[in-house]
Amino acid sequence: MSFTGTVKLDGVPEHQRNELLQEIEKMQMHNSSKTYNEMVEQCFNDCVKTFRSSTLSEAESKCVNSCAAKFIKLGRRAGYRYQEATYTQGAGAPPKT
């Protein structure tokens, strides 16, 4: 999902528009990195219980995979809800997903 779909840039001069879009892209990358790091930290803390081996046990591996999948599904669902709210406020019906 891109912010450019919800930000009105009609009256913005071309050079400022490009700068704005670059800043938005930086913010999106920062937010993506932050979300990824939060997922890694949370799943690690929830799933890794011992440090006796340099590899994950089978149970730890399954836990990490399940945790990451849930985190991704939650993020996707939150994104859909945000889109619905944005379209409800603006242009009408939300897109079909």
Side-chain angles (χ1 to χ4, degrees), residues 6-17:
T6 59
V7 175
K8 303 245 186 225
L9 300 175
D10 298 339
V12 179
E14 187 68 30
H15 72 281
Q16 288 179 337
R17 183 179 306 168

Side-chain angles (χ1 to χ4, degrees), residues 1-8 77-95:
M1 181 172 67
S2 173
F3 284 113
T4 57
T6 59
V7 175
K8 303 245 186 225
R77 185 173 179 149
Y80 291 148
R81 294 295 173 244
Y82 176 78
Q83 276 185 324
E84 287 176 352
T86 300
Y87 282 102
T88 300
Q89 292 174 356

Side-chain angles (χ1 to χ4, degrees), residues 55-71:
T55 60
L56 295 175
S57 70
E58 187 176 334
E60 289 171 332
S61 184
K62 286 181 181 179
C63 179
V64 167
N65 288 337
S66 175
C67 178
K70 286 179 183 179
F71 209 93

